Every structure is written in structure tokens, then in C-alpha cells.
Amino acid sequence: MSLSIEEVHRIALLARIEVSDAEALAAQRQLNEIFSLIGEMQAVDTEGIQPMAHAQSALLRLRDDVVTEVDQHALFQSIAPQVEGGLYLVPKVIE
Amino acid sequence: MSANWEIVIGLETHVQLSTDSKIFSGSSTAFGAAPNTQASAVDIALPGVLPVANRGAVERAIRFGLGVNGGLADNINRRSEFARKNYFYPDLPKGYQISQLDLPIVNGGEIAIVSPTRGEIKVRLTRAHLEEDAGKSLHEDFHGMSGIDLNRAGTPLLEIVSEPDMRSAEEAVAYARALHAMVRWIGICDGNMQEGSFRCDANVSVRRPGEALGTRREVKNLNSFRFLQQAIEYEARWQIETLEDGGRIQQATVLFDPDSGKTRVMRSKEDAHDYRYFPDPDLLPLVVDEAWLDRVRGELPELPQQKRDRYVSAYALSSADAVALTQSRETAEYFEDMVDVLGDDAAKTVANWMMGELAAALNRDNLDIPRSPVTSRQLAGLLRRIRDNTVSGKLAKDVFDAMWQGDARGEDAADLIIEKRGLKQISDVGAIETIVDQVLAANSKSVEEFRAGKDKAFNALVGQVMKASKGKANPAQVNEILRRKLS
């Protein structure tokens, strides 16, 4: 399997990464090398093996449903570029 | 628009779980706090933070799984996984939403509904998965910018996906109402639709009966039953008209505008999100063991379906009565409380009053049963007076209205009102005979007609007696005495 240059641009758009044509070509080459490695791995017979969800064989730890956090918005907002009335301000995005 | 189209609907419902803290952080989930005061480092996605899952959220998902599966746990995945759903939006600071994809916590189950056209049907559930909510974007004018409040970010949601089993807007609303009743019944969601605790997306398509499924469009974010109904009706009509005009339906996500009553395209399939799901490396597989399932099952209340079956078998109620009485847990409790007071044989009378006078009054004043001005004990007190012939069934309605207006309080409100207004039924034979004699003397024409064989004349005479007694004469006694005197 290999990626077309259009697919590389599409992935860059989805990830919100701006790439020049030269960068896209380089990324295409690198990604296709990764795909060829994956192709080699796919030669292994995995029939009947449960897909792995996590590299560790541990299980999820759960916490009790208790409120432990306190209001720290003033501290957090001290590094925000723009704030008003407790809200973070961002460039307008309407879908 | 010609007939012979079939509308096919499936619903995706986001139910906010009623935990105190968020699904992956210890922030409060309380509604209405000042902006960003309930958004921790995890919720605003500061670098280096890690999610820790909330047992209370998982437990509510388990309750749901059991509740929609008759208490059985074969639809609950003993091992489920969290995945990242990637997209960019300012109210999603991580750049991904933690959700479940391949292995959700619940697979399957069903919700029973009464369809206006098909009777009682079961809507199958595809799945229910845990996920976190996003924050809120406020697009009012902040100098041309948007304001972001992340208090809601990380609030636990259960997304419940139905099979496309509904065939009309009415059925979709019946399903949404039944699901709403269920999540409140089992105590996993407060059901507050104004605050967004229960929101529906409707997948709508149309086809000729017997044909394969048509192309669907998804109507997003319907937060009232009325909008759900209006949006589906509009959308289905639009699709049918488009097809009949020779057009084609393109898969799309649309928004419903309550002001115009129309749907409009938000995004088409071409620019649909590509979410690039993958297992979240920050979260290990979620395992639910049998001991936990057993404990949750033991704590479940009697489920709506179980109550319905019991009402039909123990009280000989009709299936329709049983469905109506289990619309909410409070309705069922009101009913059961009255039956406790009045005895099992009164069940049918109780059901009739609840679905008659009480339902009509609640409906008229736009109230739900927990806010009924007439309590179950007060209504039971009234029915007791009908049963012991203190008040006629007809005047009991006046007593009910007076109780509704708050003319008397306390469990003996009915007695106080009957006394105060002099509504007590006249069952004294002598008193009724006196009235009957007066009526017979004043209505000789009716008497003659009756004797000539006109049965209707008898009813006219009964009416006159009742009128003369201001509705208070015991009707059975009036009948008997009249017959005796006329024979």
C-alpha cells in the first residue's frame, strides 16, 4: 500500500499541519517507507489473536466519584492570550 | 406528496450521567457554575495530565445495560476500550474526545414503546458507549471573537444508539420518551432537557416499502420532544418531495431550526469529519467483573417492564393501563401508594382516575406528577368516599377540582371539602322519597309517557330527581325508589 500526494495533503489538513509541496513529497516518501514496514509485519499470521488495546497488560484503574478539584481558573487563565468574564477568547469559529 | 413511502428512523441519544465528578477528572459536574470554575488541568488539557476514569460513570452505564436487558448482563462487555476521536474545535482543548468505538461497554438491549399505528413494539438498541462531553462555545460578540467555557468539558455521557426500527415521528418521540423515562427510572440521569442532559440526533431516510434502506441524513442536537417530532416530519417530507421530483438524497448532517421549522445542511459527506479513531494509550482496557454486575443488579429498582407484567397479572389491568402507569417511576409510585391505601381491588378505579381526572388536570396546568397539587393520599381519600357512598362519582369530580385548587390540605382534604360544600350524597331513603314524590307530582306528563311504555321518560324523571337534589341523591337508590313508586 502506498499513499498518493493528495492523500498526504488530506492527512495534513486533518491534522491542521501546513505543509509545502516539497515537505509533502518528503512526508510521502517517509510515510510510504513506514507503510512498507507495516506491509512486512502484515505477513505474520494473526488469525485468532485478540487485537491489543494497550502495550501494557494491566487493567484500567477506577477512581471513586468524588469532587477533588478546586477552582483554579485565575491561575490557568494567567497564561491565556485573551480572557473576558472568565471565558477564554478564541478566533470565531462557527460550523 | 403521494402515499406509500416508508420513513425509517434511528436515534442516537446523548445522556448526561448524574455523577458528582467528571468522567476523567475530579472536577464538579454541577450545572450553572461561573465559566471555567469547574475546569481542571485535565479538562483544559494542560500538557502532562492523565485521565483517571470515574467508577460512578461506569456503574451508571452498567445500570443502563441491565435496565434495557431485563436485568440480564449478556449485553455488557466484560472488557471494553476507550478510543480517541480526533477533531479540532476550540471547545475541545485536547484535539480529541475520549469515546468508545470497537468495544463499547453495552452492546444490545431494547426499549418497549407503544406505537400509535403498530401497537406495542420493541426498539432494539445497537450499543451504548461512554464518552466525555465537550465544552461550550459562546458566539455572542466578544469583539469578534468566541468565548469558551470548559465547565462542561469532561462531563460523562452515555451515547445510546438505536437500530433504525422506528417508522414515524410519533414512534421516534415515543422511543425518546420511553428512553428518557428509563434513564430517570434507574437513576443515571436527571433528564433535564433544558440543561442539555438528554439530547437526540435523528437518522432519517425514506424508501418504498420492501426496498433497501434509503440514503440517510442525520438531524443533530434535538433537545425537546416537540423539536424531535417537527424535525423528523419536516425532514421526511423534504426527502420524499426531493425523490418524487426526480432528485437524489445525499448523505449529510443537518441542523433543525425551531424558528423556521426547517432543516438545513451543516456538512455534506464530502467534508464529513474523518475522526481517525485509535485506542487511547492513556487508558487501559476497562474490565467489569461478575461481582460488580451482581451488586449493581441487586441495587436496581423494579424495571418498567417488570412492573407492567405485575400490574397485568396482579391487578388485572389492561396492557395499555399498565404502560400508562409506568410512564415514569413517580407515576408508578403514585399508583402503588394509592393501591396500598385502598387495596388491590381498587386498582382499576385508581388507574381510571389517574388517567382521567388527574392526567387531564396535570396536562391542563402543564405539570408532572411529582408536582401534582393533589397527592396520592388525598386522591385515595376521595376514592374512599366514593366507595363508601359518601359522595357520588359525579360530585367527586367537583371535590377533586376543589382539592386541585387547594381548598383544603392534608390527607383528609376530600372529607373537609365534602363537609364544607355540603356535597355529601343523600342515601337516606326517606329524604329521597320526599324528593321523588315532589318530582312525580310536578312531572305528570313524563309519568304518563312512562306508563304508556316510553322508557326514555324514566331517565328524564331520574334526571329531575338528581337535579332537585343538586346531584347529591344516591343514583342507585333514586332508580330503585322511582321504579317502586311507578310500578
Side-chain angles (χ1 to χ4, degrees), chain B residues 3 17 29-30 45 64 89 114 131 160 226 245 301 306 323 334 338 341 365-366 393 416 444 454 456 459 474:
Chain B
L17 299 174
T29 55
F64 180 78
Y89 205 72
V114 177
E131 62 183 28
I160 301 155
R226 193 161 55 91
D245 290 348
Q306 294 166 338
V323 168
Y334 195 104
M338 287 185 65
V341 173
D365 290 358
N366 201 17
L416 296 173
S444 53
K454 274 181 78 179
K456 262 191 182 164
N459 294 336
N474 181 328

Side-chain angles (χ1 to χ4, degrees), chain A residues 45-67:
Chain A
D45 181 11
T46 56
E47 189 65 34
I49 296 174
Q50 195 190 356
M52 195 171 68
H54 199 277
Q56 271 180 291
S57 59
L59 300 174
L60 188 66
R61 187 174 77 80
L62 298 170
R63 44 168 257 277
D64 289 336
D65 177 24
V66 175
V67 175

Side-chain angles (χ1 to χ4, degrees), chain B residues 14-69:
Chain B
H14 287 91
V15 166
Q16 183 179 317
L17 299 174
S18 56
T19 53
D20 293 329
S21 65
K22 293 188 179 176
I23 185 167
F24 297 118
S25 84
S27 300
S28 169
T29 55
F31 183 82
N36 292 305
T37 56
Q38 291 174 175
S40 70
V42 171
D43 309 320
I44 67 171
L46 289 185
V49 298
L50 283 172
V52 186
N54 181 342
R55 182 178 289 110
V58 176
E59 185 154 317
R60 281 167 178 76
I62 295 172
R63 281 174 87 84
F64 180 78
L66 293 169
V68 295
N69 202 39

Side-chain angles (χ1 to χ4, degrees), chain B residues 113-132:
Chain B
I113 65 165
V114 177
S115 157
T117 51
R118 297 194 286 166
E120 190 168 334
I121 54 171
K122 308 253 196 257
V123 175
R124 295 165 299 156
L125 302 182
T126 316
R127 56 184 281 151
H129 64 256
L130 284 163
E131 62 183 28
E132 58 179 344

Side-chain angles (χ1 to χ4, degrees), chain A residues 14 16 53-54 59-60 62-65 67-69 71 73 77 82 84 86-90 92-93 95, chain B residues 19-22 25-26 36 52-55 81 88-89 139 142-143 145-148 267 281 284-285:
Chain A
L14 284 171
R16 299 293 188 277
H54 199 277
L59 300 174
L60 188 66
L62 298 170
R63 44 168 257 277
D64 289 336
D65 177 24
V67 175
T68 52
E69 293 287 346
D71 173 20
H73 82 281
Q77 294 190 337
Q82 241 183 305
E84 188 176 307
L87 298 164
Y88 295 92
L89 296 193
V90 300
K92 199 162 226 167
V93 188
E95 202 165 1
Chain B
T19 53
D20 293 329
S21 65
K22 293 188 179 176
S25 84
N36 292 305
V52 186
N54 181 342
R55 182 178 289 110
E81 289 170 9
F88 288 97
Y89 205 72
H139 299 299
F142 296 100
H143 334 290
M145 303 185 78
S146 292
I148 305 293
R267 53 177 179 258
L284 294 156

Side-chain angles (χ1 to χ4, degrees), chain B residues 34-238:
Chain B
N36 292 305
T37 56
Q38 291 174 175
S40 70
V42 171
D43 309 320
I44 67 171
L46 289 185
V49 298
L50 283 172
V52 186
N54 181 342
R55 182 178 289 110
V58 176
E59 185 154 317
R60 281 167 178 76
I62 295 172
R63 281 174 87 84
F64 180 78
L66 293 169
V68 295
N69 202 39
L72 301 177
D74 58 336
N75 61 337
I76 295 173
N77 282 318
R78 304 304 194 265
R79 186 185 177 95
S80 67
E81 289 170 9
F82 288 101
R84 291 185 179 181
K85 178 180 179 177
N86 299 279
Y87 67 93
F88 288 97
Y89 205 72
D91 57 27
L92 186 77
K94 288 196 298 296
Y96 59 86
Q97 176 192 29
I98 302 175
S99 182
Q100 296 191 298
L101 183 68
D102 290 333
L103 274 176
I105 186 153
V106 177
N107 268 124
E110 61 185 27
I111 293 282
I113 65 165
V114 177
S115 157
T117 51
R118 297 194 286 166
E120 190 168 334
I121 54 171
K122 308 253 196 257
V123 175
R124 295 165 299 156
L125 302 182
T126 316
R127 56 184 281 151
H129 64 256
L130 284 163
E131 62 183 28
E132 58 179 344
D133 208 344
K136 239 181 215 162
S137 298
L138 303 161
H139 299 299
E140 297 97 74
D141 199 22
F142 296 100
H143 334 290
M145 303 185 78
S146 292
I148 305 293
D149 177 6
L150 297 174
N151 280 349
R152 202 181 61 183
T155 296
L157 300 177
L158 190 66
E159 178 173 337
I160 301 155
V161 182
S162 86
E163 292 288 305
D165 284 351
M166 290 150 276
R167 295 290 175 270
S168 65
E170 290 78 13
E171 287 184 10
V173 170
Y175 163 79
R177 284 188 184 279
L179 186 64
H180 184 258
M182 172 62 87
V183 297
R184 290 182 59 240
W185 189 291
I186 58 176
I188 66 167
C189 171
D190 65 18
N192 191 323
M193 298 178 81
Q194 279 87 34
E195 292 176 6
S197 296
F198 188 94
R199 343 192 260 268
C200 296
D201 301 338
N203 284 300
V204 181
S205 64
V206 300
R207 65 175 170 188
R208 298 289 187 184
E211 285 185 357
L213 286 175
T215 304
R216 67 189 162 89
R217 303 211 309 169
E218 183 182 14
V219 192
K220 293 293 264 187
N221 252 332
L222 300 161
N223 65 356
S224 83
F225 297 125
R226 193 161 55 91
F227 293 163
L228 179 65
Q229 169 127 8
Q230 289 173 350
I232 292 171
E233 282 169 355
Y234 176 84
E235 177 62 24
R237 197 164 53 237
W238 180 87

